[in-house]
Amino acid sequence: MAIPVIDFSKVNGTGEERAKTMAQIANGCEEWGFFQLMNHGIPEELLEKVKKVCSEYFKLEREEIFNNSTVANTLNALAEKNSGEKLENVDWEDVITLLDDNEWPSKTSGFKETMTEYRAELKKLAEKVMEVMDENLSLPKGYIKKAFNDGEGHSAFFGTKVSHYPPCPHPELVNGLRAHTDAGGVILLFQDDVVGGLQILKDGQWIDVQPMKNTIVINTGDQIEVLSNGRYKSTWHRVLASPDGNRRSIASFYNPSLKATIAPAPGLVEKDGEEIDQTYPKFLFGDYMSIYAKQKFLPKEPRFQAVRAL
């Protein structure tokens, strides 16, 4: 079983071909929560540059720091004890987050220029994907974007996590990244096309998200689940630590503004004039994030119950 791979260029077409592609994306959102896009419009040349600068950045600015980090030292000490005990509550991951207004790595040639261009392209792709979701959910065009931006304006959060999962000497004792669902909206992942490790939970089974060259993996976060009144689900996923290869993972998050009010779209809690069950509360995204920060690796349903309803 493999997650759906969809030719995104066909949403620009017409007729039957477009309808089929829209249906594939709807299925990806409803049944999987994860799907891969090919022909997504991000130039191949730019993606190759992103791979290059991120790999160089890790070698030059992070590798040594990671090898001497608390997680690396603790894991080695635990392995020497040979007690069978696992390293809990940490991840075998090196990560930085790029925002428009925070400090970026400065020693790696071309990193800032390349990643700035990449983030601009990814943000446009995120908004196109959200428009497809609007259409599939029979919502007005731009509904999800507007909800995330708290009405008009550009207050939505757009962050990019540059992660590496270096070769792990004891992968049986630690997680690459513990299982969780994503708190926010639409996540766009440019993952390593050689080294695997990302898995999603589908029908009680962990399934590999197969590495493919220059595709963008889309997954839906908790807020898309709420806006769609549960039609689209956020999916549990994890990364396995591996003894071989340094897995690169560049995830961009298009999330609501912390001030945005999130609730099921009115059109999805009413059908033919009759109310459908509204499973999710109406809340401020900032309030949800306060709970998520403490409960990221726990079941998501209690988070929806715990958030203060408006």
Side-chain angles (χ1 to χ4, degrees), residues 186-251:
V186 175
I187 299 86
L188 306 94
L189 169 68
F190 181 31
Q191 70 162 348
D192 204 293
D193 49 24
V194 179
V195 185
L198 175 62
Q199 296 186 322
I200 68 164
L201 190 62
K202 165 97 171 122
D203 303 328
Q205 260 182 300
W206 286 104
I207 296 165
D208 293 329
V209 177
Q210 62 277 24
M212 288 180 73
K213 192 169 182 195
N214 293 348
T215 55
I216 300 289
V217 179
I218 304 292
N219 73 283
T220 45
D222 295 347
Q223 306 316 304
I224 292 287
E225 180 169 329
V226 174
L227 277 171
S228 70
N229 201 27
R231 264 193 42 199
Y232 294 172
K233 293 277 192 276
S234 58
T235 296
W236 282 84
H237 53 286
R238 69 183 184 186
V239 177
L240 301 179
S242 161
D244 311 305
N246 181 16
R247 179 176 177 270
R248 180 188 56 252
S249 167
I250 303 157

Side-chain angles (χ1 to χ4, degrees), residues 3-24:
I3 76 161
V5 179
I6 300 167
D7 182 346
F8 196 57
S9 66
K10 292 188 174 166
V11 300
N12 301 322
T14 53
E16 203 174 309
E17 191 175 64
R18 181 179 191 272
K20 189 177 158 196
T21 306
M22 295 294 284
Q24 287 173 334

Side-chain angles (χ1 to χ4, degrees), residues 124-160:
K124 284 189 281 189
L125 178 60
E127 291 177 348
K128 278 186 204 157
V129 168
M130 291 191 295
E131 282 186 2
V132 169
M133 291 178 181
D134 290 333
E135 188 175 334
N136 275 333
L137 291 165
S138 304
L139 297 172
K141 185 176 178 177
Y143 183 92
I144 296 174
K145 179 182 174 181
K146 199 170 172 182
F148 284 2
N149 282 282
D150 194 25
E152 300 304 330
H154 303 281
S155 59
F157 172 90
F158 189 70
T160 300

Side-chain angles (χ1 to χ4, degrees), residues 24-306:
Q24 287 173 334
I25 295 171
N27 172 265
C29 293
E30 287 173 17
E31 300 297 327
W32 293 84
F34 267 77
F35 50 94
Q36 303 214 42
L37 295 182
M38 50 192 270
N39 299 327
H40 38 61
I42 313 285
E44 195 101 349
E45 190 187 341
L46 175 59
L47 293 177
E48 291 300 330
K49 275 173 29 189
V50 167
K51 287 182 208 175
K52 183 172 178 287
V53 296
C54 287
S55 296
E56 285 172 359
Y57 145 76
F58 180 77
K59 272 248 159 301
L60 182 67
E61 302 190 45
R62 300 295 288 197
E63 189 167 37
E64 199 177 323
I65 294 168
F66 185 82
N67 290 341
N68 294 305
S69 66
T70 306
V71 64
N73 292 332
T74 310
L75 182 67
N76 288 331
L78 195 62
E80 275 172 32
K81 265 171 58 184
N82 204 12
S83 62
E85 190 190 342
K86 289 190 171 184
L87 195 52
E88 306 287 354
N89 303 323
V90 293
D91 303 302
W92 187 261
E93 175 191 37
D94 178 80
V95 60
I96 58 156
T97 301
L98 307 177
L99 305 171
D100 287 340
D101 57 358
N102 70 342
E103 200 176 326
W104 289 26
S106 55
K107 294 179 193 159
T108 304
S109 170
F111 184 91
K112 184 151 195 187
E113 299 75 3
T114 301
M115 294 309 289
T116 300
E117 186 184 346
Y118 173 76
R119 274 171 49 76
E121 288 286 340
L122 262 280
K123 192 171 185 181
K124 284 189 281 189
L125 178 60
E127 291 177 348
K128 278 186 204 157
V129 168
M130 291 191 295
E131 282 186 2
V132 169
M133 291 178 181
D134 290 333
E135 188 175 334
N136 275 333
L137 291 165
S138 304
L139 297 172
K141 185 176 178 177
Y143 183 92
I144 296 174
K145 179 182 174 181
K146 199 170 172 182
F148 284 2
N149 282 282
D150 194 25
E152 300 304 330
H154 303 281
S155 59
F157 172 90
F158 189 70
T160 300
K161 258 178 62 176
V162 178
S163 298
H164 286 86
Y165 300 89
C168 180
H170 308 286
E172 71 290 352
L173 298 181
V174 68
N175 294 290
L177 180 59
R178 287 162 283 167
H180 63 288
T181 65
D182 289 325
V186 175
I187 299 86
L188 306 94
L189 169 68
F190 181 31
Q191 70 162 348
D192 204 293
D193 49 24
V194 179
V195 185
L198 175 62
Q199 296 186 322
I200 68 164
L201 190 62
K202 165 97 171 122
D203 303 328
Q205 260 182 300
W206 286 104
I207 296 165
D208 293 329
V209 177
Q210 62 277 24
M212 288 180 73
K213 192 169 182 195
N214 293 348
T215 55
I216 300 289
V217 179
I218 304 292
N219 73 283
T220 45
D222 295 347
Q223 306 316 304
I224 292 287
E225 180 169 329
V226 174
L227 277 171
S228 70
N229 201 27
R231 264 193 42 199
Y232 294 172
K233 293 277 192 276
S234 58
T235 296
W236 282 84
H237 53 286
R238 69 183 184 186
V239 177
L240 301 179
S242 161
D244 311 305
N246 181 16
R247 179 176 177 270
R248 180 188 56 252
S249 167
I250 303 157
S252 297
F253 297 79
Y254 196 115
N255 289 354
S257 143
L258 291 175
K259 295 188 182 118
T261 301
I262 302 297
L268 301 176
V269 290
E270 236 180 60
K271 203 168 191 183
D272 305 326
E274 288 187 23
E275 291 269 324
I276 304 172
D277 236 12
Q278 182 172 327
T279 324
Y280 302 88
K282 177 181 184 180
F283 54 81
L284 283 179
F285 181 59
D287 290 347
Y288 185 82
M289 279 308 285
S290 303
I291 292 165
Y292 182 86
K294 300 177 197 133
Q295 299 184 12
K296 176 176 178 176
F297 302 107
L298 299 174
K300 64 181 169 180
E301 291 74 17
R303 299 198 290 260
F304 295 133
Q305 302 313 315

